[in-house]
Amino acid sequence: MNTVYAKLISQSLNLGIEAVGNTLALLDEGCTIPFISRYRKERTGALDEVQIAAINDEYQRLQEIQKRKDTILKTIKEQGKLTAELEQRITNCWDATELEDVYLPFKPRRRTRAQVAREQGLEPLAQLLLLQREADPERAAHRFIGNGSNVATAEDALRGAQDIIAETISEDERSRQQLRGSYRRTAIITSKVVKAKADSDEAAKYSDYFDWHEPLRRCSSHRLLAMRRGEAEGILRLSIDPVDDQECIERLQRQWVRSQNESGRLVASAAEDSYKRLLKPSIETEFYNQSKDTADEEAIRVFAENLRQLLLGAPLGQKRVMGIDPGFRTGCKVVCLDAQGNLLHHEAIFPHPPVNRRMQASVHVQQMIHDYHIEAIAIGNGTASRETREFVEDAIQVPPLSPSTSHATPLTPPSVFVVSEDGASVYSASKVARDEFPDEDVTVRGAVSIARRLMDPLAELVKIDPKSIGVGQYQHDVDQTKLKHQLDQTVESCVNMVGVNLNTASAHLLQYVSGLGPVLAKNIVDYRRQNGAFTNRAQLKKVPRLGPAAYQQCAGFLRIPGACNPLDNTAVHPESYHIVEQMANDLSCTVKELIDRKELRQQVKPEAYVTDSVGLPTLRDIMQELEKPGLDPREQLEAFSFDSTVHSIDDLAEGMVLPGIVTNITNFGAFVDIGVHQDGLVHISQMSSRRINHPTDVVRLHQHVQVKVLQIDQRRHRISLSLLV
């Protein structure tokens, strides 16, 4: 069967059939996508993660279709209606819609009007009418009156026969495909406001769709999802219709009506009934669901790309950090962490109204910086963020306290960063946070999360449900199963691309490493706690339940800084250590010398080490890794400041040019934080003077930008911005 799947996937994705077949074999062996793309390039023809993920998704889709085909064949066979021709057609069908069309006449259904007519023995009359040779169908209908049935008159018999014809037409493949073609070409989606809700406050955000219509094929994913949400909230009413119902009816009649006699007239009437009562509602529902699926796929793709950019955000690294969760009435919760992210101290300060203990708070901040040797300060971007940053910057400009006897206070004040706190409250109430800090309350856990996000966004954000991070587009409205699959795949990709420090990673981070998972991740942490830090990758084999297959999948993505073997801190897989050792032997040097000395590496000829199992793609990866062993692929962190004269939406004026940070990217534009507690929107039309296909052509998440204020809508709390400064 895999040969069939490989051929179908190869054609669908336009990839080499051998590469696809080998990839399917590796997936069946239990290999992960990151492992295959990194360490099995010879077998896959150097397919990247995106291509392998697409193969995997298509493989799963085809397997689901095969399961459906098995069910259909079994059902039809039990009915005694499975012919050799029908079985062959179902076996060769790989289109889900076509498959359901073939199955429709045999599908068990609730009792319909046509079914009642069949029970009354009117099927022969329906077949007679369809032949359209009977000039006087009423006379023919008299033969079906009585005889133990409930048919009292010829009119009743003809109505029953028309019900059967209408259902026959609605189940006909050609009729359904013809109507689908009309919907694909001309369908219009219409949105109307429910009059009773038109003036409500909750309806205001949907005002653009109170009287809206456009071709369905041009309706963007964000507009469709917005309308669907409005419909779910009872504010909007949606419909999807072809441009001309009468034209659709006439096409159907041209297909089924072959005579101008009375029988033909009855069939024409049945065709119109079939369209209005059966076909149109069915196809409308089909396109309603299909358009939602398409919109979901696009929204999920956007969310996944935003999540990738967020997870791969620039890390500060292992520094001693102060984290501040800002607030007015409840004060600011402050935590101090060591370079490994361990909690050293926490307290609350009250520099803002209504308490206003600014001087006392300033002294406490200085003291904490001095006592815990703080190198950087992370401030959450929520309520009171701007005010807290200004307070902190004032406080750290005060001359430093006298150095203690054992430690000198840094002469330069710590750098101050504003960090997104989306999802911090979700983390602070989660089981992960309770397990990490069982004796601390949610405010302390939230502040710790903010500080750790500055140190390493990836390591901290993997602990939070991605839907709570706030970088999506209608993420709660899309198919949640598909969303979770795509986001989990994105997190796994990011974690394995960066690599994980085996001796400092949390169990939650380790579970995303190729080949591991929650159980093995916990076992690694438990082993580390009982036996001390890992000194080489081979020790992983001693971890309970971590067998050869899991070791093969995970080892290359785990790093051990300071390991005895320098290759243990690189992306070189242990199965390739012998290659590097041979290179070093051939140059009469050690592996460490080969890594440290560029002139030695330049003498290596990768072609000389090609074997039946190791090709140039792997050898080139090895050489690249030896040049930059353990290098973090993420960018460097940059400091940022908002305009000091702007604090709220009331301070804005059209034409202002302000600094901002990109907080979210959608298909229609990007949202930018300009420091007024309300993100502004840069529409895609305001991003570049040239035509662009997507906002990501111009901006990336957390990018620092300069924007111009175009429009301010106080009622709807909307700010329109432009990058065309």
Side-chain angles (χ1 to χ4, degrees):
M1 180 58 78
N2 266 18
T3 304
V4 175
Y5 289 149
K7 183 177 180 181
L8 291 167
I9 295 170
S10 172
Q11 293 170 347
S12 173
L13 301 179
N14 195 27
L15 297 172
I17 189 168
E18 184 179 356
V20 171
N22 288 339
T23 301
L24 295 182
L26 288 165
L27 289 168
D28 285 342
E29 291 169 15
C31 297
T32 67
I33 293 172
F35 176 83
I36 295 171
S37 66
R38 173 76 192 187
Y39 297 113
R40 291 296 179 264
K41 290 182 177 178
E42 283 80 7
R43 289 186 64 181
T44 68
L47 296 178
D48 60 29
E49 274 196 21
V50 175
Q51 292 169 314
I52 295 170
I55 290 171
N56 186 46
D57 291 344
E58 188 69 5
Y59 186 30
Q60 292 178 2
R61 186 187 72 83
L62 292 175
Q63 288 176 315
E64 288 300 315
I65 289 178
Q66 183 59 52
K67 289 178 185 177
R68 181 63 175 157
K69 289 200 291 187
D70 292 342
T71 301
I72 288 172
L73 287 168
K74 181 181 177 183
T75 303
I76 298 175
K77 189 174 183 179
E78 289 172 351
Q79 295 174 6
K81 299 178 181 178
L82 185 62
T83 64
E85 182 183 357
L86 181 60
E87 182 176 12
Q88 186 67 29
R89 181 162 184 211
I90 292 172
T91 300
N92 293 335
C93 180
W94 293 100
D95 180 274
T97 301
E98 181 185 344
L99 184 64
E100 294 303 324
D101 279 353
V102 173
Y103 178 47
L104 190 57
F106 308 96
K107 190 174 185 178
R109 61 174 69 81
R110 59 184 175 79
R111 203 156 175 259
T112 63
R113 282 164 48 174
Q115 186 62 32
V116 172
R118 289 189 180 96
E119 291 170 2
Q120 293 174 335
L122 296 174
E123 180 87 47
L125 179 59
Q127 294 300 323
L128 187 66
L129 292 179
L130 278 171
L131 291 173
Q132 297 167 50
R133 296 171 185 166
E134 182 63 57
D136 189 358
E138 187 171 344
R139 184 180 62 184
H142 278 285
R143 299 200 302 268
F144 296 89
I145 298 174
N147 299 327
S149 72
N150 294 326
V151 181
T153 67
E155 287 184 2
D156 290 342
L158 291 172
R159 271 197 300 269
Q162 283 182 297
D163 287 339
I164 294 172
I165 293 170
E167 187 170 274
T168 300
I169 292 173
S170 75
E171 292 177 348
D172 178 72
E173 281 186 68
R174 184 181 165 197
S175 298
R176 297 181 72 83
Q177 290 293 2
Q178 182 175 276
L179 187 54
R180 285 190 188 105
S182 295
Y183 266 78
R184 272 192 290 270
R185 292 189 305 272
T186 71
I188 301 292
I189 183 168
T190 302
S191 170
K192 299 282 187 182
V193 66
V194 176
K195 290 184 179 179
K197 298 287 187 72
D199 297 325
S200 62
D201 290 339
E202 60 267 26
K205 59 186 175 182
Y206 298 109
S207 59
D208 291 343
Y209 304 107
F210 281 5
D211 187 13
W212 176 270
H213 62 88
E214 68 176 314
L216 180 63
R217 58 192 170 86
R218 294 182 186 168
C219 184
S220 63
S221 65
H222 63 271
R223 285 202 300 274
L224 190 135
L225 291 172
M227 288 187 277
R228 291 282 297 243
R229 180 183 288 182
E231 182 182 45
E233 294 178 7
I235 294 166
L236 302 176
R237 186 176 292 113
L238 304 186
S239 63
I240 298 175
D241 303 285
V243 168
D244 190 341
D245 281 324
Q246 189 57 39
E247 183 185 345
C248 293
I249 293 170
E250 289 172 359
R251 280 187 180 174
L252 210 56
Q253 289 172 336
R254 284 196 294 272
Q255 179 186 340
W256 290 90
V257 179
R258 294 184 292 275
S259 173
Q260 299 302 313
N261 62 15
E262 185 62 19
S263 291
R265 188 191 64 78
L266 290 172
V267 171
S269 176
E272 182 174 355
D273 174 55
S274 178
Y275 173 79
K276 292 179 178 178
R277 181 170 59 87
L278 301 173
L279 261 176
K280 183 182 177 183
S282 174
I283 300 301
E284 180 177 356
T285 300
E286 188 178 296
F287 272 73
Y288 188 79
N289 293 333
Q290 281 181 1
S291 62
K292 171 65 163 53
D293 290 343
T294 302
D296 281 2
E297 287 176 10
E298 182 60 20
I300 290 170
R301 186 194 65 77
V302 170
F303 194 162
E305 179 55 34
N306 285 352
L307 179 63
R308 175 179 295 277
Q309 292 185 27
L310 188 66
L311 293 175
L312 296 178
L316 179 67
Q318 292 191 326
K319 306 284 185 183
R320 299 173 75 90
V321 174
M322 174 185 290
I324 304 179
D325 187 358
F328 287 115
R329 183 181 57 82
T330 56
C332 301
K333 180 62 69 173
V334 184
V335 298
C336 297
L337 310 184
D338 66 16
Q340 285 71 46
N342 299 309
L343 179 63
L344 303 174
H345 172 77
H346 68 83
E347 66 177 83
I349 58 175
F350 298 85
H352 310 307
V355 180
N356 259 335
R357 295 178 185 164
R358 192 176 182 90
M359 183 60 72
Q360 181 189 70
S362 180
V363 171
H364 280 229
V365 167
Q366 292 177 54
Q367 190 66 52
M368 284 184 278
I369 291 172
H370 170 266
D371 291 346
Y372 300 102
H373 318 293
I374 298 301
E375 299 171 86
I377 300 174
I379 301 171
N381 68 343
T383 304
S385 174
R386 289 288 303 277
E387 294 79 2
T388 301
R389 175 169 186 157
E390 290 167 2
F391 154 72
V392 168
E393 287 177 339
D394 288 344
I396 63 178
Q397 295 307 318
V398 176
L401 300 169
S402 302
S404 65
T405 54
S406 56
H407 295 284
T409 302
L411 295 176
T412 56
S415 302
V416 180
F417 300 89
V418 175
V419 177
S420 170
E421 60 181 44
D422 284 337
S425 59
V426 174
Y427 161 77
S428 62
S430 68
K431 183 180 184 301
V432 177
R434 292 195 301 273
D435 290 344
E436 283 192 283
F437 303 103
D439 301 323
E440 307 297 348
D441 65 23
V442 292
T443 61
V444 173
R445 298 172 191 156
V448 169
S449 179
I450 289 169
R452 286 178 172 175
R453 290 184 194 198
L454 178 64
M455 300 169 72
D456 190 341
L458 179 61
E460 193 61 22
L461 290 173
V462 294
K463 302 174 185 176
I464 303 170
D465 181 352
K467 287 185 295 182
S468 302
I469 296 176
V471 293
Q473 167 184 307
Y474 300 99
Q475 60 261 39
H476 297 287
D477 301 297
V478 302
D479 185 301
Q480 297 301 294
T481 301
K482 291 180 181 177
L483 177 65
K484 184 178 186 307
H485 168 73
Q486 185 63 56
L487 297 186
D488 284 349
Q489 205 171 75
T490 300
V491 174
E492 181 184 47
S493 171
C494 292
V495 169
N496 289 287
M497 187 184 94
V498 172
V500 171
N501 186 325
L502 182 56
N503 286 322
T504 61
S506 66
H508 209 83
L509 180 60
L510 285 167
Q511 76 178 26
Y512 287 103
V513 172
S514 168
L516 296 182
V519 173
L520 289 179
K522 181 179 182 299
N523 290 352
I524 288 173
V525 172
D526 290 344
Y527 182 90
R528 194 172 66 197
R529 187 181 301 116
Q530 295 165 9
N531 300 280
F534 287 88
T535 57
N536 60 71
R537 282 170 168 168
Q539 288 175 312
L540 283 164
K541 297 176 182 177
K542 299 179 181 178
V543 173
R545 300 181 64 178
L546 202 157
Y551 176 77
Q552 181 193 53
Q553 295 295 307
C554 75
F557 303 103
L558 296 169
R559 310 280 187 268
I560 307 177
C564 300
N565 187 339
L567 295 177
D568 283 343
N569 193 38
T570 72
V572 177
H573 197 281
E575 67 187 11
S576 297
Y577 282 7
H578 69 281
I579 299 172
V580 182
E581 290 163 357
Q582 185 61 51
M583 291 175 178
N585 287 338
D586 291 346
L587 294 170
S588 301
C589 67
T590 65
V591 169
K592 187 175 186 311
E593 288 172 334
L594 182 62
I595 293 173
D596 292 342
R597 295 171 59 184
K598 182 178 180 179
E599 68 273 13
L600 288 174
R601 294 194 303 275
Q602 288 176 333
Q603 296 178 43
V604 175
K605 305 295 183 188
E607 297 81 1
Y609 300 92
V610 173
T611 66
D612 292 340
S613 58
V614 180
L616 281 175
T618 293
L619 291 166
R620 290 192 186 106
D621 282 349
I622 290 172
M623 294 307 300
Q624 186 176 1
E625 190 61 27
L626 294 180
E627 289 177 16
K628 301 175 181 178
L631 178 69
D632 193 319
R634 294 172 288 181
E635 296 180 351
Q636 295 297 307
L637 193 63
E638 297 177 3
F640 174 84
S641 294
F642 291 115
D643 190 302
S644 60
T645 64
V646 174
H647 294 80
S648 73
I649 196 170
D650 296 326
D651 297 328
L652 296 179
E654 292 180 9
M656 275 186 169
V657 176
L658 303 168
I661 299 177
V662 178
T663 58
N664 199 2
I665 301 174
T666 68
N667 279 347
F668 54 87
F671 289 91
V672 177
D673 183 359
I674 53 176
V676 297
H677 309 297
Q678 176 64 53
D679 289 355
L681 171 66
V682 180
H683 190 268
I684 190 171
S685 63
Q686 292 293 326
M687 288 190 153
S688 175
S689 55
R690 61 183 174 85
R691 179 177 173 78
I692 60 173
N693 295 319
H694 195 272
T696 50
D697 294 342
V698 177
V699 296
R700 66 181 187 282
L701 212 59
H702 288 178
Q703 181 178 343
H704 301 170
V705 293
Q706 290 285 319
V707 293
K708 180 192 289 185
V709 179
L710 294 181
Q711 191 176 20
I712 305 154
D713 185 340
Q714 290 274 12
R715 180 173 179 267
R716 295 198 290 176
H717 302 287
R718 290 185 178 179
I719 305 167
S720 297
L721 304 172
S722 174
L723 287 175
L724 304 175
V725 177

